[in-house]
C-alpha cells in the first residue's frame, strides 16, 4: 500500500515537472531569435546607451514587422550596466545564460573591454558601440563595431587640421577613460605628421561637472584651437565653460562633440563647434533622413550617432544571418568578417559598410559644424578603403 | 571664486542646520538637485525661469524645509547624530532614485539666468555668470549675517543654536526658530540650484559632487560658523582651479580632500570654528 502511494507521488511530481517544462519551453521556441541589449541606461553613459538601445529597438521593430530574420521574430531583453564595467560583465554572462543569439552593447569602451571576454568565451557575436582602438586589437573574433575606430577616425581629423593654416598649435582636452585615452593617443600620433603642434594635454574625469580649470589650462597654453574628446555630457559642460570663459577660437572634436544631445545640452555654447563624425542624422543621404524622421516619431527627440549605431547593428546582423543562411553563431561571426553590405540591397544599414577581419568597419564619414543648433555637413569623406 | 561661491552656498546649509538642530544633512547635494528639477518642471508648464524660481522657493520651503524637519529630523533627533546622518544618506538615495524615475537618467539643459556675456577688465575675461554668482552669493551671505545678528528673530535663532533649554526658558519659540533655519536652508539650496545647474546640467546625480564639496567646505571653514562656510567654499573653489590650471586638472578633485586633511590635523575646529564643549 505504502509502495503504491510512493509510486503515485512520483507520478504526480513528474507530471508537475513536465508541466512546468512544457509551459516554460515554448517561450523561446524555434520561431524566435533572442538579442540581449547590455547598455548604459544610467550613470555617465546614459545618453549614449539610451540612444543605442532606442536605435536597436526601432530597427528590431521594423525587422519584425517585415517578417523577421529568416522567418524568425526577434525578441529582446534589455539590461542596464549603470556605466559600470563590472556590472556590464555580469550582464553579458546573464545574456549568455539566457541563450541570447547576439549581444548588443555596451557603448562605453571601458565596459566593452571587460564584457567582451565573456561573449568571446561563449562564442556569441557582440555588436558594440565603443570607439577605442584597443577593443579590436585583442584578436576577439566575436566583437563587431558599429562605428569607425579611433585609429581610422583620428587621421581624418589630423588631415583636416593640417589643412587649416590658421591653426598651428592645439590644446587636447580628453576624458581619462579607455575611450578618451585611446582618442588622445590616436590624435597626438596622427598630428605628428602635420604642422599642428600639441601645446597642452589636459586630462579630465568621467562624470566631471566643473571644467573651469581645464579651460584655464587650455587658455594659458595660447593654443590656436582646442581638440575636445570627451563623452556626451562632459562635452556639453566643457562647451558651456568655454563659452563662459570667453573662448573664441575653434573647438574641434570627433563624433561626440557635435552629437545632437550635446548640442541640446550645451545650447548656444555649441555653435560653431567642428567635428569629424562617422554617423549623423543630418547627412544628406536618404536612408539617414528616413531614419531620423522615424526615430524622432518613435521617441520624440533627434537621435545622435549612438542611435544610428544601434539601428544599423540590427540590420548588419540580419544581413549576416541571411548570408549565412542559418542561425549558427560561429558561422554568422565568420560571415561578418570580410562582409560588404550595400545600402541598396539592405536599406537598413543606411550606408554601404564593410567589416574587416578584426571586426572594424569602414564606411563614409562626415565633417560637420554646428549651425543654428544642428549639425551641418560641410564635407563627405570617403571610406578609408577607397581613400 | 564663482565655483567656490556655489560650494559656499551649499556649505552654509550644512552649518546652519548643525547650529540650529545638530543635524548633519548628507542629502545637501540632493537638496540642490531637487529644486533644479522643480524649476525645470515649472518651465515645462510654460513659466519663465524667474517665476519658476520663485515658485520653487515656496515648494522647497514646504518640502525641503517643513517636510524634512517634520518627517525626518523631529522623529530622529532624540536618537543622536549618527541615526540622523544615516537617515539623510537614505533620503539622498530616495531623492536620486525618485528623480531618476520621474525625469530619466539623462542630463537636461538648464537656462543660465545671467546669460553668456563676457566682460574684459584689464585684460582679464570675466563672464556675466561668474560675476552674477559672486554678487548673489555675497549679498545672500551678508544679508543672512545681518539677519542673524541684527534682527530679533535672527538673535532668537542664534540663541536656540547656542542653548536650546535656556532659549526656551527665555520664552523663545524654539520649534519655530528651528523651522526658520530649515526654511532658510531650503531657500539657499534653491538659489544654489539656480546658479550651478546651467554648468552642472540637471541630472539626478548632480548633487553627489556638490554635497561632498560643500561638506568639506563646511569642515574647512568651521562647522559652527556661517562665515566659515563661505571661507571654506571659496578656498576649495580657488585651490581646485589653481591646482587644475597650474599643476594638472587630474589632481583638481584632490584639492578639497588635501585641505580637509590639513585642517583636521592642525585646526580640527575649522579655520573660523570655535571649540565646543560637550556634556558627558
Amino acid at each position: 500500500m505504502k509502495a503504491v502511494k510512493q509510486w503515485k507521488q512520483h507520478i504526480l511530481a513528474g507530471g508537475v515537472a513536465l508541466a512546468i517544462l512544457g509551459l516554460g519551453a515554448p517561450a523561446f521556441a524555434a520561431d524566435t531569435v533572442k538579442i540581449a541589449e547590455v547598455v548604459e541606461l544610467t550613470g555617465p553613459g546614459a545618453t549614449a546607451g539610451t540612444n543605442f538601445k532606442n536605435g536597436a529597438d526601432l530597427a528590431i521593430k521594423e525587422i519584425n514587422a517585415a517578417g523577421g530574420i529568416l522567418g524568425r521574430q526577434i525578441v529582446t531583453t534589455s539590461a542596464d550596466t549603470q556605466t559600470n564595467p563590472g556590472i556590464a560583465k555580469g550582464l553579458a554572462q546573464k545574456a549568455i545564460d539566457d541563450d541570447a543569439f547576439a549581444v548588443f552593447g555596451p557603448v562605453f569602451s571601458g565596459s566593452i573591454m571587460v564584457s567582451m571576454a565573456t561573449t568571446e568565451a561563449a562564442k556569441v557575436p557582440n555588436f558594440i558601440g565603443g570607439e577605442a582602438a584597443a577593443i579590436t586589437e585583442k584578436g576577439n573574433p566575436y566583437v563587431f563595431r558599429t562605428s569607425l575606430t579611433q585609429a581610422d577616425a583620428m587621421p581624418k581629423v589630423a588631415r583636416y587640421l593640417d589643412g587649416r593654416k590658421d591653426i598651428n598649435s592645439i590644446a587636447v582636452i580628453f576624458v581619462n577613460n579607455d575611450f578618451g585615452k585611446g582618442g588622445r593617443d590616436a590624435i597626438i600620433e596622427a598630428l605628428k605628421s602635420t604642422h599642428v603642434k600639441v601645446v597642452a594635454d589636459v586630462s579630465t574625469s568621467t562624470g566631471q561637472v566643473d571644467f573651469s580649470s581645464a579651460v584655464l589650462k587650455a587658455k594659458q597654453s595660447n593654443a590656436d584651437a582646442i581638440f575636445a574628446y570627451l563623452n556626451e555630457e562632459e562635452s556639453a559642460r566643457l562647451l558651456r565653460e568655454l563659452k563662459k570663459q570667453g573662448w573664441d577660437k575653434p573647438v574641434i572634436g570627433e563624433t561626440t562633440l557635435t552629437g545632437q544631445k550635446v548640442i541640446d545640452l550645451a545650447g548656444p555654447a555649441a555653435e560653431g563647434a567642428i567635428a569629424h563624425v562617422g554617423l549623423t542624422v543630418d547627412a544628406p543621404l536618404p536612408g539617414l533622413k528616413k531614419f531620423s524622421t522615424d526615430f524622432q516619431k518613435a521617441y520624440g527627440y533627434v537621435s545622435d550617432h549612438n542611435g544610428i549605431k544601434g539601428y544599423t547593428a540590427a540590420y548588419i546582423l540580419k544581413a549576416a544571418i541571411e548570408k549565412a543562411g542559418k542561425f549558427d553563431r560561429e558561422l554568422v561571426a565568420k560571415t561578418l568578417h570580410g562582409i560588404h553590405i550595400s545600402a541598396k540591397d539592405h536599406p537598413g544599414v543606411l550606408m554601404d559598410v564593410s567589416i574587416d577581419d578584426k571586426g572594424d568597419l569602414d564606411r563614409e564619414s562626415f565633417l560637420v559644424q554646428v549651425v543654428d543648433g544642428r549639425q551641418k555637413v560641410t564635407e563627405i569623406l570617403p571610406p578609408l578603403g577607397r581613400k | 571664486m564663482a565655483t567656490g561661491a556655489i560650494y559656499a552656498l551649499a556649505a552654509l546649509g550644512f552649518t546652519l542646520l548643525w547650529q540650529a538642530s545638530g543635524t548633519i544633512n548628507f542629502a545637501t547635494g540632493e537638496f540642490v538637485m531637487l529644486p533644479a528639477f522643480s524649476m525645470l518642471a515649472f518651465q515645462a508648464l510654460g513659466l519663465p525661469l524667474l517665476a519658476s524660481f520663485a515658485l520653487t522657493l515656496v515648494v522647497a520651503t514646504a518640502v525641503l524645509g517643513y517636510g524634512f524637519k517634520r518627517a525626518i529630523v523631529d522623529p530622529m533627533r532624540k536618537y543622536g547624530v549618527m541615526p540622523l546622518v544615516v537617515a539623510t544618506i537614505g533620503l539622498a538615495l530616495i531623492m536620486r532614485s525618485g528623480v531618476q524615475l520621474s525625469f530619466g537618467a539623462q542630463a537636461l539643459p538648464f537656462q543660465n539666468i545671467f546669460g553668456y556675456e563676457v566682460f574684459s577688465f584689464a585684460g582679464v575675461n570675466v563672464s556675466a555668470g561668474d560675476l552674477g554668482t559672486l554678487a548673489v552669493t555675497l549679498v545672500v551671505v551678508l544679508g543672512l549675517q545681518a539677519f542673524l545678528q541684527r534682527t530679533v528673530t535672527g538673535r532668537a535663532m542664534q540663541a536656540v543654536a547656542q542653548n536650546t533649554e535656556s532659549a526656551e526658558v527665555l520664552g523663545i519659540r524654539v520649534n519655530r526658530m528651528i523651522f526658520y533655519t530649515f526654511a532658510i536652508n531650503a531657500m539657499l539650496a534653491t538659489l544654489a540650484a539656480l546658479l550651478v545647474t546651467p554648468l552642472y546640467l540637471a541630472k539626478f546625480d548632480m548633487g553627489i559632487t556638490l554635497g561632498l564639496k560643500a561638506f568639506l567646505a563646511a569642515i574647512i571653514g568651521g562647522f559652527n560658523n556661517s562665515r566659515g562656510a563661505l571661507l571654506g567654499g571659496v578656498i576649495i573653489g580657488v585651490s581646485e582651479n589653481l591646482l587644475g590650471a597650474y599643476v594638472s586638472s587630474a589632481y583638481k578633485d584632490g584639492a578639497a580632500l588635501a585641505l580637509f586633511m590639513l585642517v583636521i590635523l592642525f585646526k580640527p575646529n575649522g579655520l573660523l570654528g570655535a571649540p565646543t564643549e560637550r556634556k558627558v
Side-chain angles (χ1 to χ4, degrees):
Chain A
M1 189 68 185
K2 196 179 174 185
V4 171
K5 204 173 178 181
Q6 272 184 344
W7 179 78
K8 276 184 180 173
Q9 278 176 346
H10 286 141
I11 290 284
L12 191 65
V16 170
L18 280 174
I20 291 167
L21 286 172
L23 286 172
F28 297 109
D31 57 348
T32 62
V33 57
K34 186 188 265 189
I35 291 175
E37 297 165 341
V38 177
V39 286
E40 297 82 353
L41 300 178
T42 57
T47 300
T50 306
N51 271 283
F52 188 88
K53 177 195 178 313
N54 287 346
D57 286 347
L58 179 64
I60 288 164
K61 200 175 158 194
E62 289 174 4
I63 292 168
N64 281 342
I69 304 176
L70 299 180
R72 287 199 202 179
Q73 291 287 297
I74 304 170
V75 289
T76 57
T77 58
S78 177
D80 176 17
T81 69
Q82 299 170 37
T83 323
N84 180 326
I87 295 174
K89 187 175 174 63
L91 291 175
Q93 185 58 53
K94 186 177 182 300
I96 288 155
D97 294 344
D98 290 346
D99 198 29
F101 183 83
V103 172
F104 280 19
V107 183
F108 265 35
S109 301
S111 293
I112 296 163
M113 300 288 266
V114 176
S115 69
M116 70 179 190
T118 308
T119 48
E120 182 188 10
K123 298 181 176 175
V124 172
N126 189 176
F127 289 82
I128 49 107
E131 288 163 15
I135 294 170
T136 45
E137 285 167 359
K138 295 190 182 299
N140 180 340
Y142 290 91
V143 72
F144 301 96
R145 285 189 198 276
T146 51
S147 56
L148 293 177
T149 164
Q150 293 161 340
D152 292 342
M154 293 307 173
K156 293 186 178 186
V157 180
R159 206 179 307 158
Y160 166 75
L161 286 168
D162 203 24
R164 291 274 305 248
K165 297 305 169 200
D166 57 327
I167 299 174
N168 294 309
S169 58
I170 199 157
V172 175
I173 301 179
F174 69 100
V175 59
N176 196 4
N177 57 22
D178 286 299
F179 160 78
K181 279 187 284 186
R184 173 231 176 242
D185 293 348
I187 191 68
I188 289 177
E189 183 60 32
L191 285 172
K192 280 180 184 166
S193 57
T194 70
H195 77 282
V196 182
K197 197 177 165 196
V198 177
V199 289
D201 188 10
V202 186
S203 158
T204 65
S205 52
T206 306
Q208 186 166 322
V209 288
D210 182 1
F211 284 87
S212 43
S213 61
V215 172
L216 264 174
K217 198 156 179 91
K219 283 173 84 175
Q220 282 172 341
S221 71
N222 279 322
D224 295 328
I226 282 176
F227 176 78
Y229 199 65
L230 305 99
N231 299 116
E232 281 81 359
E233 286 168 18
E234 292 83 349
S235 292
R237 292 188 188 111
L238 173 70
L239 287 169
R240 282 185 168 232
E241 185 65 37
L242 283 165
K243 179 90 177 166
K244 199 183 92 171
Q245 292 199 28
W247 178 269
D248 54 4
K249 297 174 188 172
V251 183
I252 296 151
E254 209 285 321
T255 303
T256 47
L257 184 71
T258 56
Q260 192 56 47
K261 183 68 185 175
V262 176
I263 297 172
D264 293 343
L265 289 174
E271 284 297 303
I274 296 165
H276 166 262
V277 298
L279 298 159
T280 169
V281 293
D282 294 309
L285 300 173
L288 280 161
K289 293 278 175 212
K290 183 183 177 304
F291 162 78
S292 176
T293 311
D294 293 346
F295 189 99
Q296 193 158 9
K297 202 171 152 192
Y299 302 108
Y301 70 96
V302 178
S303 170
D304 72 356
H305 61 287
N306 291 301
I308 310 174
K309 287 185 204 172
Y311 183 85
T312 51
Y315 277 104
I316 290 172
L317 176 66
K318 178 176 180 282
I321 293 173
E322 286 173 352
K323 191 176 178 191
K326 57 180 176 177
F327 288 91
D328 179 329
R329 293 181 181 90
E330 283 184 65
L331 182 61
V332 168
K334 273 183 191 154
T335 307
L336 278 163
H337 289 126
I339 199 170
H340 176 79
I341 309 167
S342 79
K344 196 177 153 201
D345 299 333
H346 299 273
V349 297
L350 304 178
M351 289 187 286
D352 290 359
V353 59
S354 306
I355 298 177
D356 68 11
D357 56 348
K358 290 197 296 179
D360 287 331
L361 60 75
D362 192 14
R363 61 182 159 207
E364 284 179 336
S365 58
F366 312 91
L367 264 179
V368 300
Q369 182 162 25
V370 180
V371 179
D372 296 329
R374 291 297 294 258
Q375 286 183 350
K376 187 182 170 198
V377 175
T378 53
E379 197 179 337
I380 298 178
L381 306 172
L384 282 173
R386 216 193 302 156
K387 297 283 177 192
Chain B
M1 286 203 45
T3 310
I6 292 164
Y7 295 156
L9 275 181
L12 210 54
F14 265 114
T15 58
L16 279 177
L17 290 195
W18 173 250
Q19 288 176 65
S21 62
T23 307
I24 299 178
N25 178 18
F26 273 106
T28 294
E30 283 64 34
F31 272 43
V32 176
M33 176 270 291
L34 207 60
F37 280 93
S38 165
M39 282 185 260
L40 279 179
F42 283 126
Q43 282 181 275
L45 295 174
L47 292 174
L49 179 59
L50 269 178
S52 304
F53 172 66
L55 277 173
T56 300
L57 277 176
V58 178
V59 175
T61 307
V63 178
L64 303 177
Y66 185 75
F68 174 55
K69 179 178 175 296
R70 288 304 299 267
I72 310 272
V73 179
D74 286 350
M76 301 288 292
R77 243 173 80 191
K78 55 184 176 237
Y79 300 112
V81 176
M82 276 317 288
L84 201 47
V85 165
V86 175
T88 58
I89 291 172
L91 179 68
L93 288 172
I94 291 169
M95 288 165 82
R96 281 206 292 273
S97 304
V99 169
Q100 187 186 340
L101 280 173
S102 314
F103 291 85
Q106 294 195 55
L108 299 170
F110 196 93
Q111 199 182 332
N112 188 338
I113 194 164
F114 299 111
Y116 283 104
E117 213 166 324
V118 178
F119 306 101
S120 197
F121 299 108
V124 178
N125 287 336
V126 186
S127 72
D130 281 349
L131 282 177
T133 301
L134 271 173
V136 167
T137 307
L138 213 61
V139 167
V140 165
V141 172
L142 291 178
L144 194 61
Q145 285 287 319
F147 170 74
L148 289 173
Q149 286 167 4
R150 297 186 184 177
T151 66
V152 176
T153 312
R155 285 181 181 168
M157 285 168 71
Q158 288 203 70
V160 171
Q162 282 160 17
N163 193 323
T164 312
E165 285 122 17
S166 304
E168 205 156 16
V169 170
L170 289 170
I172 295 170
R173 298 169 79 171
V174 171
N175 218 23
R176 178 171 287 192
M177 294 307 127
I178 292 178
F179 164 66
Y180 286 164
T181 314
F182 278 75
I184 291 170
N185 176 52
M187 287 190 271
L188 283 175
T190 307
L191 184 64
L194 180 75
L195 299 175
V196 81
T197 317
L199 284 178
Y200 278 33
L201 301 175
K203 196 176 174 187
F204 73 97
D205 58 1
M206 64 178 272
I208 298 175
T209 312
L210 186 64
L212 176 68
K213 297 280 171 66
F215 178 64
L216 298 176
I219 290 181
I220 289 167
F223 226 82
N224 53 11
N225 190 315
S226 302
R227 274 170 295 181
L230 179 68
L231 182 68
V234 171
I235 287 176
I236 290 182
V238 170
S239 43
E240 271 186 352
N241 284 314
L242 286 177
L243 201 66
Y246 291 100
V247 185
S248 165
S249 50
Y251 298 121
K252 190 179 80 80
D253 286 332
L257 282 168
L259 283 167
F260 164 75
M261 284 191 285
L262 286 174
V263 167
I264 285 288
L265 278 173
F266 298 106
K267 212 164 181 326
N269 293 307
L271 297 175
L272 298 184
T276 48
E277 290 169 10
R278 187 180 285 180
K279 280 182 260 182
V280 288

